[in-house]
Amino acid sequence: MRRFVKRLYLALILLFLYAPIFVLMVYSFNVSKSRGNWGGFTFGWYAELFRDRQIMQALWNTIVLAVLSAVIATFLGTASAIGINAMKKLPKRVILGINNLPVLNPDIVTGVSLMILFIFAFNMIGRGGLGFTTILLAHITFNIPYVILSVLPKLKQLDKNMYEAALDLGATPAAAFFKVILPEITPAIVSGMILAFTLSIDDFIISFFTTGAGVSNLSIIIYSMARRGVNPKINALSTLIFAVVMILLYLVNRMDSEKLKH
Amino acid sequence: MAKRLIDLVNVTKKFNDVTVLHNISLYINKNEFLTLLGPSGCGKTTTLRIIAGFEYPTKGDLLFDGESILNLPPYKRRVNTVFQRYALFPHLNVADNIAFGLRIKKMRENVIKEKVEGMLKLVNLKGFEKRPVSSLSGGQQQRIAIARALVNEPEVLLLDEPLGALDLKLRKEMQIELKNMQQKLGITFVYVTHDQEEALTMSDTIAVMNNGVIGQIGAPEDIYNEPKNAFIADFIGESNIIEGIMREDYLAEFAGAKFKCVDAGFGQMSGVDVVIRPEDIKITNESEGQLKGTVLNTTFKGVHYEMLVQAAGFVWKIHSTKMSKPGENVGLFIGPDEIHIMKKDAKPEGEVLNEE
């Protein structure tokens, strides 16, 4: 009996969590345009989706944005994590607090403040406007703290003598870093990069405020399409995005669990 | 005449405001096995790290072959270190760990292979080349760490409590192996440990450190038999340490009795510390002893029994192969050679101050 209740409870939670996505997925294969009835199975919306040039452009933007922002944030975040790890206790705590703030900060605040900052900067230099560069900068900005949070624990775990051992064996500081420290923290760097990548794909609010005319990513396109009445193409698109994010999260989790095994 | 290889000259090291090394001077001869011995926090590891180049002394100089190497970074010094926790590189297998230093030097791969094989043979781990280091036991990792350091043919090998994490039996084996290796290869070893037995077993020279100063430097026998002060006597092996008075040369008074001894030059009626090793006190019949007492406690220690005997207001620790039962009344006899007289530490004790 108790086991049954436990399982029922779990099933209910999963139902609540995934019912909306499930419905969306099912309707992406629905022939009928209306959401009320089931008109039969089709891949038609997917085909139409890939023919829609506006959506394909947004998809391209989203991927370029995700890759660029993830790679740049990974470089900056990893370098910062190494610096933070070498700090003394008090400054380290202060910096970590500053690092965690954007993570906890509501996206809307981050988005609006970045937009104001960009516009302020453009006014200062007298030219330029919101566009791909600003949205990229915004994505790099909100990704860096996550990379730091991913890399730092691994650095803390490292045997402090390992770097010294490399120097002792004749390696210059740079060689010691690339031959000893970097290989050790690579799993954490990769999982940080994947996390940054998914966060960038996911983001709507910050992108919405920091992008300019003509530059849209998928979430912005979906939002503007949804306002004109929901097109089943969006269901198809959302299903695909969900699938991609699922796969990436699975990869990150698997890497984490492998880390635990060691 | 032994050649001086490393010279620490008036080295002082402060971390923030805490002084961990007070103006220490020490030289290490070529091919010497020198042990820095002391309790944790005495500055022995810091001394080693200064020689390795990981710490920079606040004051003083470090000479290698007569030239200052203070400003030489660790990767240019002709020393290699075996770390306490081995610090092997987990992403590399056994062979690649050992080859690390050689690859940095861009040696040819066939030469590297040969050297790695030679080292594995030396540390008795032939055939382990492809094993990941995480699959090895503590003792095996330890050997790999030693091989990884020795393969670079350093002039000096620095070892920071390398046997600390091993169990007793393995530790004893490794002590002998290390000593043999050192003699075979003719490399200077600087060894840090807090284990006095380890130090006595392996060293040519022991430097006993406490509170950032070197208390005594000498051969193991000298330090054991003629400790310079009560701290060293207590740290190197077990001791009975009692306060006494030198009545005159060759005559000491302690525990309410007078004893002939072999020490002189302390002046008449001067206060001293008397050190007597537990194995140097003989238990006799009650009538034949210089002191009379009662056995409080007897413990079997394997090779010998350890007995605590209450006599003359003091509990004496005595090691003997013959057992006396608790409660037995016995006599204690201490020969003149067994009594070590030491000057009292210069610092006045709190108790003495209160009496004044």
Side-chain angles (χ1 to χ4, degrees):
Chain A
M1 183 62 197
R2 262 185 73 174
R3 249 177 76 185
F4 173 74
V5 174
K6 269 191 204 165
R7 289 198 173 161
L8 183 74
Y9 182 67
L10 185 65
L12 276 176
I13 287 182
L14 288 176
L15 184 70
F16 269 105
L17 282 178
Y18 287 98
I21 297 166
F22 182 71
V23 170
L24 179 135
M25 284 176 160
V26 170
Y27 273 98
S28 73
F29 299 106
N30 187 2
V31 172
S32 163
K33 209 170 176 180
S34 108
R35 268 161 299 168
N37 53 1
W38 178 255
F41 183 88
T42 178
F43 277 116
W45 301 118
Y46 287 87
E48 216 176 291
L49 174 72
F50 286 104
R51 278 198 296 269
D52 187 323
R53 286 188 59 194
Q54 204 190 359
I55 291 179
M56 284 303 109
Q57 179 61 44
L59 177 67
W60 173 246
N61 284 346
T62 304
I63 291 171
V64 171
L65 201 55
V67 169
L68 278 181
S69 72
V71 168
I72 296 171
T74 302
F75 269 108
L76 297 176
T78 303
S80 310
I82 290 165
I84 291 170
N85 190 49
M87 278 178 158
K88 284 187 180 151
K89 216 173 173 185
L90 186 69
K92 188 194 269 183
R93 261 177 35 203
V94 173
I95 293 286
L96 272 181
I98 293 172
N99 182 58
N100 289 343
L101 213 58
V103 174
L104 303 170
N105 208 12
D107 278 359
I108 185 107
V109 178
T110 308
V112 170
S113 51
L114 278 169
M115 178 188 71
I116 294 171
L117 175 73
F118 290 143
I119 289 171
F120 172 77
F122 287 135
N123 283 341
M124 286 279 286
I125 55 177
R127 59 203 211 88
L130 296 174
F132 187 79
T133 314
T134 49
I135 191 172
L136 176 63
L137 285 175
H139 280 222
I140 294 168
T141 307
F142 75 69
N143 272 336
I144 287 174
Y146 291 96
V147 176
I148 292 176
L149 287 177
S150 168
V151 175
L152 202 55
K154 184 75 197 171
L155 278 170
K156 267 188 202 158
Q157 259 179 36
L158 282 190
D159 184 345
K160 283 194 185 71
N161 285 333
M162 217 143 70
Y163 174 70
E164 287 177 348
L167 295 184
D168 192 76
L169 293 167
T172 58
F177 174 75
F178 284 110
K179 285 187 167 43
V180 173
I181 304 296
L182 197 60
E184 286 300 316
I185 62 171
T186 299
I189 293 176
V190 172
S191 76
M193 182 142 69
I194 294 177
L195 187 64
F197 184 79
T198 50
L199 285 170
S200 167
I201 287 188
D202 252 11
D203 178 71
F204 165 66
I205 302 176
I206 296 173
S207 308
F208 183 75
F209 281 103
T210 53
T211 191
V215 182
S216 302
N217 63 5
L218 280 178
S219 55
I220 293 172
I221 281 284
I222 293 171
Y223 176 71
S224 57
M225 282 168 77
R227 279 203 307 188
R228 279 181 264 128
V230 175
N231 184 314
K233 272 192 280 186
I234 296 174
N235 295 344
L237 182 58
S238 305
T239 304
L240 288 179
I241 294 175
F242 177 75
V244 169
V245 171
M246 263 291 260
I247 291 165
L248 287 176
L249 278 181
Y250 170 73
L251 288 178
V252 171
N253 281 336
R254 207 177 64 175
M255 254 184 329
D256 282 347
S257 63
E258 262 165 31
K259 247 188 286 172
L260 281 182
K261 265 185 238 156
H262 280 295
Chain B
M1 186 65 197
K3 183 181 151 210
R4 276 189 185 203
L5 195 58
I6 292 178
D7 255 292
L8 286 136
V9 188
N10 301 326
V11 171
T12 295
K13 176 70 187 174
K14 288 181 188 170
F15 288 115
N16 298 323
D17 287 334
V18 184
T19 308
V20 289
L21 291 178
H22 293 273
N23 197 30
I24 69 163
S25 291
L26 173 71
Y27 65 85
I28 301 156
N29 287 326
K30 203 169 164 53
N31 299 345
E32 187 176 28
F33 194 126
L34 178 122
T35 299
L36 297 169
L37 174 67
S40 54
C42 71
K44 56 191 193 298
T45 295
T46 306
T47 309
L48 197 77
R49 288 173 61 81
I50 286 173
I51 300 174
F54 302 132
E55 305 286 355
Y56 197 91
T58 314
K59 256 188 261 165
D61 203 354
L62 171 66
L63 308 180
F64 191 94
D65 244 348
E67 275 172 54
S68 175
I69 56 163
L70 266 193
N71 293 314
L72 217 54
Y75 51 92
K76 286 188 181 158
R77 297 192 182 186
R78 285 176 295 173
V79 302
N80 283 113
T81 309
V82 176
F83 292 89
Q84 190 168 9
R85 288 256 149 221
Y86 322 140
L88 296 175
F89 307 132
H91 65 287
L92 300 176
N93 66 24
V94 167
D96 291 337
N97 259 282
I98 299 175
F100 189 88
L102 304 177
R103 295 228 165 92
I104 295 275
K105 290 192 201 97
K106 305 236 186 299
M107 272 190 195
R108 288 219 316 278
E109 276 301 318
N110 54 352
V111 179
I112 290 177
K113 193 158 179 273
E114 207 172 286
K115 286 192 179 233
V116 168
E117 269 170 22
M119 269 302 141
L120 281 173
K121 207 168 143 195
L122 181 77
V123 297
N124 285 326
L125 287 174
K126 246 174 115 178
F128 277 64
E129 282 88 346
K130 298 285 170 232
R131 296 270 287 271
V133 289
S134 55
S135 72
L136 304 183
S137 70
Q140 290 168 335
Q141 292 194 22
Q142 172 51 246
R143 288 154 200 255
I144 300 301
I146 291 166
R148 185 179 67 174
L150 281 178
V151 77
N152 301 291
E153 292 164 15
E155 299 218 26
V156 181
L157 188 69
L158 308 172
L159 302 105
D160 185 7
E161 306 211 17
L163 307 183
L166 305 182
D167 63 61
L168 185 69
K169 192 163 173 291
L170 199 54
R171 202 156 69 215
K172 300 246 175 193
E173 285 171 20
M174 284 299 295
Q175 286 173 9
I176 295 164
E177 269 184 51
L178 272 175
K179 182 72 191 166
N180 288 342
M181 247 183 249
Q182 189 253 346
Q183 282 166 347
K184 201 157 109 192
L185 300 171
I187 293 176
T188 310
F189 274 37
V190 182
Y191 193 98
V192 161
T193 184
H194 62 265
D195 182 336
Q196 46 96 11
E197 203 194 314
E198 202 165 284
L200 293 172
T201 308
M202 304 167 79
S203 320
D204 298 321
T205 309
I206 297 177
V208 187
M209 294 185 71
N210 189 34
N211 290 330
V213 295
I214 295 175
Q216 187 173 2
I217 304 177
E221 293 88 346
D222 296 342
I223 290 193
Y224 188 82
N225 292 329
E226 297 297 333
K228 237 166 91 182
N229 58 42
F231 168 79
I232 293 170
D234 196 35
F235 195 76
I236 304 274
E238 292 175 280
S239 306
N240 296 288
I241 301 172
I242 10 172
E243 288 184 13
I245 295 167
M246 276 311 269
R247 307 284 307 193
E248 56 194 67
D249 284 356
Y250 310 114
L251 187 66
E253 179 180 339
F254 55 90
K258 294 195 183 88
F259 292 83
K260 278 200 184 124
C261 64
V262 293
D263 298 82
F266 288 90
Q268 283 190 4
M269 298 305 285
S270 58
V272 291
D273 278 328
V274 180
V275 170
I276 302 158
R277 297 288 183 192
E279 67 272 22
D280 289 343
I281 303 177
K282 284 179 189 63
I283 294 183
T284 62
N285 291 331
E286 204 182 348
S287 53
E288 293 165 20
Q290 292 154 301
L291 298 168
K292 290 177 182 28
T294 314
V295 179
L296 294 177
N297 190 335
T298 304
T299 317
F300 179 59
K301 293 279 189 181
V303 182
H304 57 77
Y305 293 92
E306 178 173 294
M307 278 148 307
L308 299 177
V309 176
Q310 170 97 43
F314 190 81
V315 177
W316 304 79
K317 189 182 274 180
I318 300 167
H319 290 170
S320 169
T321 49
K322 269 185 253 160
M323 189 189 72
S324 305
K325 287 195 188 73
E328 207 174 307
N329 289 326
V330 295
L332 302 182
F333 179 83
I334 307 162
D337 283 340
E338 324 293 10
I339 295 170
H340 306 294
I341 307 289
M342 291 171 310
K343 252 208 180 93
K344 276 205 155 307
D345 287 341
K347 275 179 266 172
E349 301 276 337
E351 290 169 10
V352 179
L353 281 177
N354 289 341
E355 279 170 17
E356 280 174 357

